Amino acid sequence: MLPIVLLSVFGIVNLFLGFMRSNRALLPFVLVVLALVFGLNLLDWNHAGSLGVLFDSPYISQMLTVDNYSVAFSGIVLLTALLLLPFSNSYVAAGEPNLAEYYSLLLFSLVGAIMMVSYNHLIMLFVGIEILSISMYCLAGSNKRDVRSNEAALKYFLQGAFATGILLFGIALLYGATGTFQLSEVATAIAAPANQTLLPMLYVGVLMMVIGIGFKVSAAPFHFWTPDVYEGTPTFFTAFMSTVVKTAGFAAFLKLLVVALPAASPVWLPTIAAMCVLTLLLGNIGAAVQTSAKRMLAYSSVSHAGYLLLGLVAGQGQLSGPAAQGIFFYSLAYSVATVAAFGVLKLVSDQRQREDYAGLAGLARTNPLLAFVLTVAMLSLGGIPLTGGFFGKFFIFMAVAPINIWLVVFAVVMSMVGIYYYLRPVIAMYLRPAEPGNETPIVVDGFQSFTLVLLAVITLVLGILPGFLSGLL
């Protein structure tokens, strides 16, 4: 609860710092805030149900819960934002006049993300999704002088508002069928024999909620906004969108299915399985035919939603089970590798004004560090051994294999397709000469270099020593 309050307060304080003549103090301030909140979040580890002295009331505890599950996923979104911030230094150097607003929107969006992983009440889930989504709508259109950014914001807002309406209607139907918004009480009401006559209303509500959340996590067939929005949104905010939003969305999704809807699995389980197959197919095939590295990463984000949906298929039981462990590890490995990939792409696009594979050509000769970090990120996203992405997929597959081995076989085949398009940037960097005008090295400051090395080290450590996170939840 304290991280939510601090992020909200510091987000408002940061807006006032925007009145300063120079914006160079904003980045250090936000970094310190996120580091402080990340540390305070870890202090809640093994303090299940404790919201702190200031917030320990029965009413608040019915809305939000603090347990190892919420602390772990909150830690991922806070760490992701912390590792991503150094790549916003170009906004500082350019004297971006709206930088304070950008940082405050990021802090407010993290409030929504933490609420999504900590909710114990369906209304709190809805509020968290909206806080996160509205911030992302604004940031998607932050480059007001770029037509693509304006188009991305408009598409994201219109389709997001439509999906929000579907989600809210589903919550209303679920309330009508059970008479409660409380997750545990919803589960009890669904299992009660007296409520069997309300099953049609319940099932429609469950399906509408699956559709609403499926849009937020870029699951097919509700993913059509993703490539255009990711491509038009400024690269820094695209990286935030593809990591923080996805992690919070799947943590909320799993909690809903495991805690509130286990008795309704006959309706949501085949739906999730079908969405998983469709998401893997469309995401991987779509990524394979792209010529833009940024658009490839957008379709890649869709495909990774498919692997995480695979974890939801096994998400029956407890929030500390193999499915939750797999989704946690996968989310961490995916977030770290994606931040590294988008970080390198932003540095390249800022100075070469290219987001396609040709813009990466010759990078191994001009900037060996950037090429190495992007290679590690691509290998991790492709699930190659000795990277975190390999064990992320391995843990997901092991959780699902006893339930549906054919889904695992299909996911493995799709992973092979993924290796093809993840190697295309590596081939461009190491085997193709730089285009005329791109022979000069890309300028990378010391803080960004340190962050890139740290991202690569985390990815490799997750792939070499995955056991230190086992049994964490």
Side-chain angles (χ1 to χ4, degrees):
M1 189 67 178
L2 191 57
I4 292 177
V5 175
L6 291 179
L7 287 171
S8 301
V9 171
F10 284 127
I12 296 172
V13 171
N14 184 71
L15 288 174
F16 287 97
L17 292 179
F19 289 113
M20 297 173 61
R21 181 170 301 178
S22 173
N23 60 9
R24 294 191 175 276
L26 295 176
L27 179 56
F29 174 76
V30 178
L31 284 169
V32 170
V33 167
L34 286 178
L36 173 64
V37 174
F38 179 76
L40 290 174
N41 176 69
L42 294 181
L43 292 179
D44 287 328
W45 190 257
N46 286 332
H47 289 79
S50 174
L51 291 169
V53 176
L54 295 177
F55 315 104
D56 193 13
S57 71
Y59 180 75
I60 295 179
S61 63
Q62 290 175 3
M63 307 292 283
L64 295 168
T65 57
V66 175
D67 52 20
N68 286 359
Y69 181 86
S70 66
V71 172
F73 280 98
S74 296
I76 293 179
V77 299
L78 291 169
L79 178 64
T80 301
L82 193 58
L83 293 173
L84 185 59
L85 272 177
F87 301 106
S88 67
N89 200 32
S90 60
Y91 292 126
V92 179
E96 171 59 52
N98 300 315
L99 187 60
E101 288 85 347
Y102 296 164
Y103 284 155
S104 291
L105 285 171
L106 289 179
L107 294 178
F108 294 146
S109 67
L110 289 173
V111 172
I114 294 176
M115 291 173 68
M116 288 173 64
V117 305
S118 306
Y119 76 100
N120 195 36
H121 195 277
L122 292 177
I123 296 300
M124 195 56 63
L125 168 65
F126 176 76
V127 172
I129 288 176
E130 284 309 288
I131 292 175
L132 179 59
S133 298
I134 292 172
S135 300
M136 290 296 102
Y137 299 155
C138 297
L139 293 174
S142 57
N143 190 355
K144 295 181 285 295
R145 293 171 292 278
D146 187 353
V147 175
R148 294 190 311 165
S149 181
N150 294 329
E151 178 187 352
L154 186 61
K155 286 184 177 180
Y156 196 17
F157 169 71
L158 291 177
Q159 296 184 58
F162 188 72
T164 296
I166 294 176
L167 173 65
L168 191 57
F169 198 5
I171 292 175
L173 290 176
L174 193 63
Y175 177 78
T178 62
T180 180
F181 291 114
Q182 206 74 26
L183 296 188
S184 58
E185 294 176 5
V186 168
T188 303
I190 293 175
N195 289 338
Q196 297 304 304
T197 57
L198 296 175
L199 286 182
M201 181 190 299
L202 169 70
Y203 288 163
V204 173
V206 170
L207 288 176
M208 294 185 79
M209 291 190 68
V210 168
I211 291 171
I213 302 179
F215 172 89
K216 302 298 181 183
V217 298
S218 307
F222 317 109
H223 71 292
F224 292 109
W225 61 274
T226 307
D228 291 340
V229 172
Y230 278 28
E231 185 179 32
T233 302
T235 303
F236 175 75
F237 302 122
T238 303
F240 189 90
M241 188 185 301
S242 63
T243 52
V244 171
V245 175
K246 196 173 296 293
T247 298
F250 273 101
F253 213 163
L254 180 64
K255 193 170 190 177
L256 175 69
L257 299 179
V258 171
V259 178
L261 304 175
S265 60
V267 66
W268 62 255
L269 187 57
T271 305
I272 296 292
M275 289 170 58
C276 173
V277 171
L278 196 59
T279 304
L280 288 172
L281 182 64
L282 295 179
N284 283 286
I285 299 302
V289 300
Q290 300 303 314
T291 57
S292 165
K294 189 175 182 182
R295 199 169 177 88
M296 179 273 288
L297 288 174
Y299 274 102
S300 161
S301 176
V302 175
S303 72
H304 286 285
Y307 296 113
L308 289 164
L309 284 171
L310 196 64
L312 296 184
V313 172
Q316 302 181 57
Q318 302 294 324
L319 288 177
S320 58
Q325 297 281 354
I327 290 176
F328 167 76
F329 193 96
Y330 195 105
S331 298
L332 178 59
Y334 165 77
S335 296
V336 172
T338 302
V339 168
F342 274 111
V344 173
L345 186 61
K346 178 171 175 27
L347 292 171
V348 172
S349 62
D350 282 348
Q351 299 180 46
R352 293 186 175 180
Q353 306 301 316
R354 299 286 296 269
E355 293 179 344
D356 55 5
Y357 296 130
L360 297 171
L363 193 63
R365 296 179 181 87
T366 59
N367 292 82
L369 175 62
L370 294 183
F372 171 74
V373 172
L374 185 57
T375 300
V376 171
M378 292 295 103
L379 295 178
S380 181
L381 292 173
I384 303 299
L386 299 183
T387 63
F390 170 78
F391 281 102
K393 290 182 179 178
F394 177 77
F395 292 146
I396 292 282
F397 294 165
M398 290 298 292
V400 179
I403 298 173
N404 193 326
I405 188 63
W406 293 110
L407 273 179
V408 176
V409 172
F410 181 77
V412 170
V413 173
M414 289 295 101
S415 296
M416 296 177 184
V417 176
I419 293 174
Y420 161 73
Y421 58 79
Y422 284 127
L423 288 180
R424 293 181 69 184
V426 180
I427 293 172
M429 291 187 297
Y430 285 92
L431 300 181
R432 295 179 184 171
E435 292 191 340
N438 291 339
E439 297 89 352
T440 57
I442 293 171
V443 178
V444 185
D445 63 42
F447 192 24
Q448 291 170 339
S449 297
F450 171 78
T451 305
L452 289 170
V453 171
L454 180 61
L455 289 165
V457 168
I458 293 174
T459 299
L460 294 174
V461 168
L462 290 175
I464 298 171
L465 300 171
F468 79 95
L469 290 179
S470 63
L472 191 62
L473 296 182

